[in-house]
Amino acid sequence: MDKYTNGQNIAAASEKNIRTDFKESMTYGDYLHLDQLLTAQDGVSGHHDETLFIVIHQVSELWMKLILHELRAAIRSIDADDLQPAFKQMARVSKIQSQIINGWDVLATMTPAEYMEFRDDLGNASGFQSYQYRMIEFALGYKTKHVLKIYEKDPALLKELTAAFEAPGLYDAAIKKLARSGFAIDKEVLERDITTVYEPHDSVREAWKTIYRDVDTHWELYQLAEKLVDIEDWLQQWRFRHMKTVERIIGFRQGTGGSSGVHYLKKVLDQYFFPELWDIRTEI
């Protein structure tokens, strides 16, 4: 018997216990609800590349669901002064962001001519309306109340978004951790209106500078700072890749939902979620 045949026999013997009867038990497809998931790509145009367009955006939304799951867990961990789980959760967010960036690379294989074949069929539907992306912005501290109007069509969703809008973000949790660790964070920062966009403050900047100048003493807080920077760094790369993909496919056309398209996407690249952590890099 040759090695190939012997290998086949060994493989067959090792797989003899594989389950094949699932009449009364759950399958892989049942567990993942694949009947729903894989039939949720109903396009409106019949164009070949619309499937690509739908799948990329659906996959992105699934990744964003996981980002929100991890960010909320990280906030709870930081609030509980349990930083090690928070580090794992925040590191996972950064890895997920890299996957979304790779998704834009796949979408970029679609040419302008191909997209124009079905773009008008999308009506006013636009990624600008992604409510999970808004929740991610809220969780990172970027609060813009006017965007809530987009979701007034769905009262239940609006309620969920409003709750996220009014909840403390990741940086709020980090700053309060600084205060609990003995740093002199001004009261106006600790009691600020968390439904407004965070503005940098000297007391927070000085706390982070102290941490970066004495890493050995403040090792956990230093790790926290770097995990925050990782998340923002990857988010900016995500935004940049999104912007360049849109520019590559539609140029400077207006977005389907009425946004300014690439102009808007370029503008948000200048937003900072954790400004002091970037400012101090020039100072330390």
Side-chain angles (χ1 to χ4, degrees), residues 72-87 89-90 172-183 220-221 223-224:
R72 289 163 180 160
I75 291 169
R76 291 193 298 269
S77 296
I78 296 168
D79 286 341
D81 293 322
D82 196 5
L83 292 187
Q84 293 303 317
F87 297 156
Q89 290 145 0
M90 294 166 72
D172 296 311
I175 290 172
K176 287 183 178 180
K177 174 60 180 172
L178 292 178
R180 292 195 303 273
S181 299
F183 290 93
E220 278 205 324
L221 292 175
Q223 286 183 288
L224 175 60

Side-chain angles (χ1 to χ4, degrees), residues 55-66:
V55 167
I56 290 297
H57 287 85
Q58 287 180 337
V59 169
S60 293
E61 290 292 336
L62 285 171
W63 281 129
M64 283 191 273
K65 181 175 183 177
L66 186 54

Side-chain angles (χ1 to χ4, degrees), residues 6-218:
N6 187 48
Q8 283 185 315
N9 291 336
I10 292 172
S14 67
E15 304 299 343
K16 65 181 180 180
N17 293 322
I18 288 180
R19 181 77 175 268
T20 58
D21 180 5
F22 288 93
K23 292 184 177 68
E24 303 297 332
S25 59
M26 181 176 65
T27 66
Y28 171 83
D30 295 333
Y31 176 67
L32 295 178
H33 299 283
L34 292 183
D35 56 337
Q36 299 173 45
L37 186 65
L38 299 180
T39 55
Q41 290 75 44
D42 293 330
V44 294
S45 71
H47 191 276
H48 174 81
D49 282 348
E50 192 179 0
T51 299
L52 164 66
F53 188 80
I54 293 172
V55 167
I56 290 297
H57 287 85
Q58 287 180 337
V59 169
S60 293
E61 290 292 336
L62 285 171
W63 281 129
M64 283 191 273
K65 181 175 183 177
L66 186 54
I67 285 175
L68 286 167
H69 179 69
E70 299 298 338
L71 285 176
R72 289 163 180 160
I75 291 169
R76 291 193 298 269
S77 296
I78 296 168
D79 286 341
D81 293 322
D82 196 5
L83 292 187
Q84 293 303 317
F87 297 156
K88 174 66 176 292
Q89 290 145 0
M90 294 166 72
R92 184 172 290 162
V93 169
S94 296
K95 290 296 184 181
I96 296 167
Q97 289 172 306
S98 72
Q99 294 300 307
I100 297 177
I101 292 169
N102 289 336
W104 289 120
D105 293 339
V106 179
L107 186 60
T109 64
M110 184 170 61
T111 68
E114 290 163 343
Y115 182 47
M116 290 306 152
E117 288 289 327
F118 65 89
R119 184 176 190 260
D120 289 344
D121 294 312
L122 301 179
N124 291 318
S126 167
F128 184 83
Q129 298 148 14
S130 169
Y131 63 85
Q132 290 199 120
Y133 182 76
R134 295 303 172 192
M135 287 183 177
I136 290 171
E137 287 189 327
F138 295 165
L140 296 180
Y142 187 71
K143 307 288 185 74
T144 49
K145 191 170 186 177
H146 69 274
V147 303
L148 294 176
K149 290 186 66 65
I150 297 172
Y151 311 100
E152 290 178 349
K153 173 183 177 180
D154 186 339
L157 176 58
L158 180 61
K159 182 178 180 180
E160 186 180 354
L161 277 155
T162 300
F165 180 80
E166 294 174 349
L170 184 64
Y171 203 42
D172 296 311
I175 290 172
K176 287 183 178 180
K177 174 60 180 172
L178 292 178
R180 292 195 303 273
S181 299
F183 290 93
I185 306 299
D186 282 7
K187 184 178 179 181
E188 66 181 279
V189 179
L190 297 174
E191 297 179 359
R192 76 181 191 86
D193 180 0
I194 59 173
T195 65
T196 60
V197 177
Y198 177 78
E199 295 291 339
H201 195 279
D202 286 344
S203 65
V204 177
R205 181 182 294 105
E206 290 305 311
W208 289 127
K209 281 169 64 175
T210 299
I211 289 164
Y212 272 80
R213 286 172 172 166
D214 189 358
V215 170
D216 291 339
T217 300
H218 307 290

